[in-house]
Each structure stands twice: as structure tokens, then as C-alpha cells.
Amino acid sequence: MLTKTLWLKSPAAVFTGNSTNADNGIVIQGDKIVELVAAGETPTTPIDSYIDCSNQVITPGLINTHHHFYQTLTRCVPGALNKPLFPWLKFLYKVWQNLDEEMIYTATQLAGLELMVSGATCISDHHYVFPKGLENAIDIQVDAINSLGCRGALTRGSMSLGESDGGLPPDSVIQTEDVILADSQRLISRYHDRSDSAKIRIALAPCSPFSVSTPLMKDTAALAEKNDVLLHTHLAETEDENNFCLREYGMRPLDYLESVDWLTSRTWLAHGIHFTEDEIQRLGKAKVGIAHCPSSNMLLASGICPTVELQQAGCNIGLAVDGSASNDCSNMIQEARQSLLQQRLRYGAELITADRVLGFATQGSAKVLHWDNIGQFAVGMQADVAVFGLDELRFSGVGSPLDALVTCGAHQVDKLMVAGQWVIEDGQHSQINPQQLIEKHQQLAKTLQSKVSM
Ligand SMILES: [Zn+2]
């Protein structure tokens, strides 16, 4: 098969995500990167066409490791504003129990497009609300991701402990353990793609260890092991959670996680903030992945993820915007900036650099998702590329374009490529009209929010 070659030529700056030099651009053939061109060099591969990127910065497509797409329908809902995690959740569950199929499809498209416009080529979602009539939520999400042309790491979430069992969510959004496990197996068999060119992968993801029963946590770990898929959940987001866990289980969250067979490299955790030094060492030894969510953690005043200690201990750190009810926007390149600002408060200006936070958003996230052929520019990797323009007021006068991407606050791509195909050009998605999508999404959000008294 002959496939034409394309050279992204002479960018203003390139972030490769590794120690190699591609200062004069990258060459793409088919769905792969076939050559990195060092400063002052020209490609050795015969070139069919090129794009001059001299006023643009190119990075590997950004990878979001944690989100709740349905929450785009409940951004800034008045009854949930200015509340810490638990009361915030209790209010919003009453809204979310009314989600339907059209809402989940539209919310997935909207959040996905929002992420893609901000540079993301691979997006993970954690969906755990399955009210009656929405049993096929993940199938609907697969369709929505396919319509966007990006990659999706979709997680089959679950909740089995409702209010009547002492849990937080209303009984109307929980499912029985048998239903959850059978659907998890069905989704893995149907959609989990292990191939080199995979667009969809499935992981298993109880909402939190405290919204499902102990047997379900253990059975989920066993099912993931049997099918060789990943495990995902929220952990150590707040001190409230530590107290809740000590009261209910007589142990801290990480001890509980270990007791249900989840302290393994198969697991990635959203947030990962409130750990002791000993716990950080145990997480690192087990090579657990962490989805670092700086905006959400600041908005809910949850705390600061100890990324440096976790990384030193052996954990992979990926970046995530978290759900739109606890961040309100889904912008990956802006999230890298948030990480830089927040982490500098803890670790200082010298250690926390643009390279470091872009590393979280690219190869760090790829490692968290065990998605080995994305997240960096290297020969043989999938051609997922974000192209950010510097032709804006905010960039005028920059000395280092790569640092400017983070500190001047880039917020949208000029172009986005997934598997060698342009899916966004001139800031516009090739298939989706954003105005029509916004109109539909706003109508559905209004309907959903009207179903509960604020
Ligand atoms: Zn979350």
C-alpha cells in the first residue's frame, strides 16, 4: 500500500514528549510518525507534501485521563455552587437521576469536541450513573466518540450502594452487582480494542470504593485481571473521605483499596491528594497511575496532588480536567497551565516547568492509560498531533514559544490530527457544527435542570 507522506515543517517549537529532537518537524505516513527531523536537517523520507508550521507549536495530541462528560449538562447549577464535595454530590445526584439517552450522547459529543478543540486526541470518561432507561450509556458514548474521530478510553462506572444502604446516591441511580458485572464483561467483549490502531478501549470503574460493596470491588478487580483491562476510581480526593473511610471501614482509603485487590499497576486513580509518605511509597511500588486534576481540586478546595513525590516513588502522573460540574470547562491546554500554577505553589518555580506539565498531558497520561503508541513523537508512534497557532494578541512578543503555550494561556488548536487524519482544521471540526451542537445541548441541559427544584 502506498501512502503519501506529509512533513509538518519547521515549527516555531516542538514538544516531543521525550529526549529526542524534532526541531525541524515530523514526517507522517498513513497513521504513523515515520521520521523526526532535527534542527537544521531535512527529511530523508521522500516527501509528497508539507505544511509550513513556522508560526505554530506542535505537540503530541493531549490525553485527558478523567472526566464525567454528562456533567456538561450541569455546569454552574445554582444549588451546587460553593459547596464542598459531599453536599455538592448529594445535591447533584437528584439532578443526574433524570439523564436520558439523548442527553448522554449530546453531552459526550459536546465535552469531546470541547476537549479536541483544546488539543486532546484521546479522551477518557468515567460514567457511573445508570438510571432506568440508560442501561446502554457506554454504547451510546462509543457512538458519540466515533462521530468525533478521536480516541476514547471509556470506563464502565458503577454504584451499588444507595441511600437505603447508607451510601450517598439515591437508590434510583444504582444497579445490582450482577447487572454491573455482566454489563462490564459485555462491553469489554464488544468494544475493547487491543490493536495498534485502536480508537476505543474499555476499563472498569466503580465510582468510588465507597459507592459500591466490598464484594463488587473484589469481583471488578478479578474481572479486569481476567480480561486484561484497567481499573479506575476516585481516591484520596478530600480529608472528608479519609474520615468517612475510617468511620465506616476502620481503615484509610488506600488500605481499603489494597484489601480489595486494587493496589496494582492495572489501577489509575482520579485525584490522589491525601496520602501519607508511606502510602505514596506503596502506590509507587505498585506503579499505580494518577489522574492529576488541578482545576477541580482548586474549585472544590480539595487540596494539591503531591505529583513530585508520587512520581519519584514510581507512579505515572497524567493530567485531567475532571467533570464539568467540578471544573466547569474541559480545556486540556489550559489545564496544563493550571497544573503549572498550582504545582509551583507547592514545589517552586524551578522544578515545575512547561515541559513537566506538558509531559503530564501527553506521555504521562498515555502511561496512565497503558496506551503505548500515543503521547509522544517517535518513529512508529500513532500520528496524533496538536497544532497551536501563535497568531494571537496573547503570544505577541514571545521569546520561547513552547513556554508561551503554557504560560501565555493557549486555549485552542489551529489543527488536530488523529491517526494521520486531520479532524480539526482552521479551528473547525470536519464533521460537527458547534453552533447546532450547543443549541441542542443547552436545550437538554435546561430540561434536565428543570426536573429538580433548585
Ligand atoms: Zn471525577
Side-chain angles (χ1 to χ4, degrees), residues 66 68 234 271 322:
H66 183 71
H68 311 287
H234 294 98
H271 308 295
D322 201 4

Side-chain angles (χ1 to χ4, degrees), residues 236-247:
E237 181 173 1
T238 63
E239 279 296 355
D240 278 1
E241 180 189 321
N242 283 344
N243 298 334
F244 175 88
C245 197
L246 280 166
R247 201 170 57 238

Side-chain angles (χ1 to χ4, degrees), residues 57-353:
V57 177
I58 64 171
T59 73
L62 309 182
I63 301 168
N64 188 39
T65 54
H66 183 71
H67 204 309
H68 311 287
F69 294 155
Y70 70 91
Q71 291 182 3
T72 57
L73 295 160
T74 54
R75 296 191 222 238
C76 297
V77 172
L81 287 174
N82 309 326
K83 288 194 162 88
L85 183 67
F86 278 18
W88 172 89
L89 268 176
K90 266 189 105 80
F91 176 84
L92 283 170
Y93 279 134
K94 283 189 274 167
V95 185
W96 297 335
Q97 66 186 346
N98 296 304
L99 281 169
D100 66 24
E101 292 188 350
E102 193 181 15
M103 288 171 185
I104 192 81
Y105 184 84
T106 308
T108 302
Q109 265 197 334
L110 187 118
L113 184 59
E114 194 185 352
L115 284 164
M116 290 171 79
V117 169
S118 74
T121 51
C122 181
I123 59 181
S124 183
D125 194 51
H126 187 183
H127 188 79
Y128 52 82
V129 183
F130 291 83
K132 246 191 174 20
L134 198 54
E135 289 81 2
N136 289 333
I138 307 297
D139 303 73
I140 294 166
Q141 289 199 298
V142 170
D143 286 347
I145 297 283
N146 288 337
S147 77
L148 291 163
C150 61
R151 300 180 202 276
L154 296 175
T155 72
R156 204 297 178 188
S158 54
M159 294 194 289
S160 68
L161 289 178
E163 262 171 340
S164 60
D165 292 316
L168 279 181
D171 291 354
S172 58
V173 295
I174 64 159
Q175 292 180 303
T176 66
E177 297 173 7
D178 288 348
V179 166
I180 292 165
L181 290 167
D183 195 49
S184 299
Q185 181 61 63
R186 179 185 72 81
L187 290 165
I188 296 167
S189 305
R190 178 142 189 214
Y191 298 115
H192 186 68
D193 185 349
R194 297 172 202 278
S195 75
D196 236 25
S197 55
K199 288 279 185 71
I200 299 285
R201 290 191 175 158
I202 302 289
L204 304 183
C207 176
S208 78
F210 324 110
S211 48
V212 302
S213 69
T214 300
L216 184 60
M217 282 299 285
K218 286 191 173 183
D219 290 346
T220 303
L223 193 63
E225 176 93 27
K226 183 182 139 208
N227 286 280
D228 192 20
V229 297
L230 300 186
L231 290 163
H232 179 51
T233 193
H234 294 98
L235 203 85
E237 181 173 1
T238 63
E239 279 296 355
D240 278 1
E241 180 189 321
N242 283 344
N243 298 334
F244 175 88
C245 197
L246 280 166
R247 201 170 57 238
E248 293 294 316
Y249 299 90
M251 58 180 111
R252 287 173 56 83
L254 191 71
D255 294 326
Y256 181 68
L257 202 73
E258 186 166 26
S259 76
V260 290
D261 309 328
W262 272 60
L263 194 59
T264 84
S265 61
R266 207 176 277 295
T267 298
W268 92 94
L269 303 172
H271 308 295
I273 299 170
H274 298 282
F275 295 124
T276 64
E277 268 178 46
D278 170 65
E279 288 171 341
I280 288 173
Q281 293 309 316
R282 286 159 61 201
L283 285 157
K285 205 168 159 211
K287 301 219 170 307
V288 170
I290 304 289
H292 161 46
C293 309
S295 293
S296 164
N297 298 158
M298 289 190 283
L299 204 77
L300 292 177
S302 303
I304 300 179
C305 177
T307 60
V308 172
E309 290 87 346
L310 284 162
Q311 224 168 9
Q312 278 168 355
C315 291
N316 290 314
I317 309 288
L319 193 65
V321 300
D322 201 4
S324 307
S326 55
N327 175 347
D328 301 320
C329 81
S330 315
N331 190 306
M332 272 303 282
I333 191 66
Q334 293 259 303
E335 198 65 26
R337 184 172 195 266
Q338 293 283 50
S339 172
L340 180 121
L341 298 178
Q342 185 214 42
Q343 293 287 304
R344 279 191 174 183
L345 286 177
R346 177 166 222 157
Y347 298 111
E350 287 168 324
L351 195 57
I352 306 299
T353 60

